[in-house]
Structures are given as C-alpha cells and as structure tokens.
Amino acid sequence: MKNIDWQHLPFNYFKTDYNVRCYYKDGKWGDLEVSTSEFIEMHMAATCLHYGQEVFEGMKAYRGKDDRIRLFRIDENAKRMTRSAKGLLMQNLPEDKFIDAIKRVVKLNEEYVPAYGTGATLYIRPLLIGVGAEVGVRPSKEYLFLIFACPVGPYFRDGFKPVDIMICRDHDRAAPLGTGTYKVGGNYAASLTSLQIAHDNGFATTLYLDAREKKYIDEAGPANFFGIKNNTYITPESTSILPSITNLCLTQLAADMGMKVERRHVPVEELETFEEVGACGTAAVITPIRKVVDIDNNRFYEFCKDNKPGPVSTNLYNQLTSIQFGDQPDKHNWVTFVE
Ligand code: PLP
Ligand code: COI
C-alpha cells in the first residue's frame, strides 16, 4: 500500500499510476488499453467539446479488514451507463467490457485503495465521450471510454455529520423530460451556479425542487433525497433525478429492517413532518441533513436534535458501509471482489 495520509484525503483528483481506455471507431469497440498518461488527445471538433456528448459514472473500491478489495453493485453502474449513453445517442460500451475495465483499473492501482478503518476509498470514474469531429448537431461516429481512479475521503467535509442545505427556487438542474435522469456532464454544469449560491451562503449543497411546479423535492445536490417518518423510508419519484444506486440499496435495507418504503412525490411542506432527512449517493454515502432553509419563503426545517444523525439514518449507514467494507455478510450479493 502507498504511504498516503488516508485519514485526511479530500474528495478530489489524486494522481494514480494507470487508467484504462477503449476506443470505438469504424463501427466497433477496440481492446481495453492501459495508459500511464493523465492526458487525452482529441480533435478540436469532437462532439463532447461542442455538443456535450459526455456521460459518466461513479463508484468506489473498498478495502476490508481481510485486506480484500470489494466493488459494490457495479452491474447497476454498467446498466446506468448504458441508459445514459443511449439517452445521448452515444455508442455504449458492452457491459461485460465495462466491468472488466473497472476490475482492471482497480487491480492496476491496488496500492492506492485506502487502508481499512480510515473511511477513505478508491473512487472510480468511468466516462464516455464523443470524439468524432462534427460541426452540425449530430451524434459522433467515434467514442472514447476511459476510467481513472483516485483515493478519496468524504464528499461532504465531515463525513457522517449533519449538514445544512438550501432550497434553490431560481435555478433548475434539469427539466422534467430533460437529461436529469442520465448521468451527463451537462446536468452538473447546470448545477454550478446554484451550488455556488449555496456555498456562498454557508450551505453544503442545494436542494432542488421539481422544475415545473416547484412543489416537490427532486434531489439534494449530487445525491438523492430521503425522509424518514412513522417507520417509513420515503424518497422522491421524479423524471428529472438520477436513479441512485445507493438509494436503491437503502430501500432494500430499510425493507429488511421492517420499514415501509414509499417512492412518490414529496411536497416541500412535508419536510415539517419528517423525523429524519438525508442525502444519499456513492460520494455522499448517507449525509444526514440538519437544516433545510427555504430562503425565498422565509422558512426553515430542522432535524438532528443535539446535532447528531438520527437513529434510522445511523442504522442504515452502518448496514450499508459494513456490507461495502465486508464487516457484514453480503446477503444480497452486492459485492464483487477484485482478485
Ligand atoms: N444524484 C446525482 C445528481 C448524482 O450525481 C449522484 C451520484 O452519483 C447520485 C444522485 C447518487 O447516485 P449513486 O448512489 O448511484 O452514486
Ligand atoms: C457520485 O456519487 O459518484 C457522484 O458522481 C457524485 C459526484 C458528482 C461527485
């Protein structure tokens, strides 16, 4: 293992030794290639540069107490990347090749998978870009698929500690029938202004509302939203949010704990009735929310008495992370080992 201060890693780019690439040209995908370069060369008229033909994924590799390296639900990431690629009329990489590429990049950089017990992980970032030259608005005929990996600490600075978030009423991240449900770079570009406003006002991130009516909760920055009340796990149904794999796991774990699960529209005012609320995602894991501030309506909603995560969020967090790090049996078959 590399000699890195795992405990104090930010969630940021960190150079590792290898990345894995694959090119689509002349109607077919080539072989996976291993590269040590951090740079890519491409045509200045590539469609990813002009028309945003770019989709990506995010997942993590976890080192267990037994020193084995685990990947988590990568088949779901493979499926979502296919969906995102199809959504932007891009050639998708066959899912078995996607999975091989992930295992390969992790194996090649295994010395960068953080030590067990530090809370840090190896973040894996696959991306797919249109690299063919076009000037008219049309899909590329050539694509590059690339995966790099970086050791990271928690996305929200303090890890499993409550954060405050802000409702943003004058910016939308995605349209009701737009690309919000795909993991495309453009959605994140569209979120930057509101994120900046949230940060400038001292909030960890933005809570987006549905773009049509501004009535229902959509997403919490780069993560899905959930609320807990009356032994029920409630998460928004929406055509403009990314279907989170972490959220999918939490609905299963909540059901395993004997909770009811509801996926439905969640009106903003319902915040008043929740016992706990949180954000969930690969990078965010579970981030408990302490306060939701609706500045424009001069309202706020408070949770996390004594500044501590609620009991259900804590239980879900412990269950999820103990499967990811191999401390609990993988009863749903979510883990893939990198040997
Ligand atoms: N929503 C958005 C906008 C995201 O960027 C992410 C991160 O991937 C998520 C939700 C959470 O998805 P997942 O749990 O699959 O990482
Ligand atoms: C993830 O959770 O993997 C994400 O992609 C969030 C990211 C935009 C930081």
Side-chain angles (χ1 to χ4, degrees):
M1 235 184 292
K2 296 276 175 189
N3 184 16
I4 291 169
D5 182 7
W6 306 116
Q7 228 111 29
H8 298 103
L9 278 172
F11 189 93
N12 212 343
Y13 181 75
F14 189 111
K15 185 180 183 317
T16 52
D17 295 339
Y18 302 100
N19 55 83
V20 172
R21 304 169 182 212
C22 192
Y23 288 91
Y24 181 90
K25 218 178 163 183
D26 300 325
K28 57 179 189 304
W29 284 101
D31 293 331
L32 296 181
E33 298 170 19
V34 175
S35 171
T36 54
S37 168
E38 292 172 277
F39 296 92
I40 52 182
E41 190 165 279
M42 74 172 101
H43 197 287
M44 61 188 176
T47 61
C48 66
L49 298 177
H50 297 256
Y51 302 128
Q53 265 202 315
E54 189 265 357
V55 302
F56 68 101
E57 268 304 323
M59 65 205 82
K60 286 172 170 172
Y62 308 81
R63 191 184 291 277
K65 205 187 280 177
D66 54 7
D67 222 27
R68 294 178 80 191
I69 298 171
R70 289 161 171 83
L71 297 166
F72 191 67
R73 305 206 75 171
I74 49 173
D75 50 327
E76 290 294 332
N77 291 99
K79 279 195 260 172
R80 194 170 63 190
M81 184 120 177
T82 299
R83 259 191 76 241
S84 298
K86 290 192 169 156
L88 264 60
L89 294 190
M90 300 169 74
Q91 276 300 326
N92 60 293
L93 189 75
E95 288 171 18
D96 53 346
K97 213 163 193 170
F98 175 93
I99 287 170
D100 278 356
I102 294 168
K103 290 182 180 163
R104 191 112 170 241
V105 83
V106 174
K107 183 72 193 162
L108 286 162
N109 294 299
E110 65 183 328
E111 295 199 9
Y112 291 92
V113 182
Y116 173 80
T118 60
T121 53
L122 186 76
Y123 186 70
I124 306 160
R125 172 51 61 82
L127 62 140
L128 175 68
I129 53 178
V131 291
E134 301 288 344
V135 177
V137 179
R138 65 179 77 90
S140 174
K141 295 181 194 69
E142 294 177 11
Y143 293 89
L144 166 61
F145 171 79
L146 177 115
I147 306 193
F148 65 84
C150 309
V152 296
Y155 188 76
F156 291 108
R157 209 185 47 216
D158 297 322
F160 190 58
K161 297 259 177 64
V163 300
D164 297 342
I165 65 172
M166 177 190 143
I167 292 180
C168 180
R169 288 183 178 272
D170 50 8
H171 289 86
D172 293 314
R173 168 189 168 274
L177 298 176
T179 57
T181 181
Y182 307 128
K183 203 160 169 67
V184 314
N187 297 338
Y188 298 80
S191 75
L192 290 174
T193 309
S194 52
L195 188 60
Q196 183 70 49
I197 294 169
H199 287 166
D200 288 348
N201 284 286
F203 295 97
T205 194
T206 315
L207 185 66
Y208 294 101
L209 304 184
D210 77 286
R212 187 181 285 123
E213 293 185 85
K214 298 281 181 191
K215 247 172 106 171
Y216 304 106
I217 296 173
D218 235 25
E219 291 205 86
N224 276 185
F225 173 91
F226 67 86
I228 308 285
K229 66 175 175 187
N230 308 330
N231 198 35
T232 310
Y233 179 96
I234 299 159
T235 193
E237 167 125 84
S238 162
T239 54
S240 51
I241 65 177
L242 189 78
S244 155
I245 297 161
T246 314
N247 200 4
L248 187 68
C249 297
L250 296 182
T251 57
Q252 178 68 56
L253 295 173
D256 294 351
M257 281 157 55
M259 296 178 71
K260 276 192 280 171
V261 173
E262 292 177 10
R263 206 180 269 278
R264 58 162 169 83
H265 287 340
V266 180
V268 186
E269 295 72 34
E270 193 175 345
L271 281 170
E272 213 165 318
T273 67
F274 286 124
E275 295 151 18
E276 299 175 34
V277 299
C280 64
T282 300
V285 195
I286 287 180
T287 301
I289 295 167
R290 178 175 49 202
K291 203 191 262 184
V292 178
V293 179
D294 190 350
I295 293 183
D296 299 310
N297 284 346
N298 216 358
R299 280 192 81 165
F300 65 88
Y301 306 86
E302 275 188 298
F303 310 90
C304 298
K305 301 223 169 52
D306 314 327
N307 207 13
K308 287 210 189 82
V312 177
S313 304
T314 305
N315 199 351
L316 287 169
Y317 178 90
N318 289 339
Q319 302 248 4
L320 177 74
T321 53
S322 63
I323 297 173
Q324 291 169 331
F325 285 99
D327 295 327
Q328 219 193 80
D330 173 26
K331 62 180 171 194
H332 295 292
N333 234 341
W334 287 340
V335 167
T336 304
F337 289 98
V338 177
E339 313 283 7

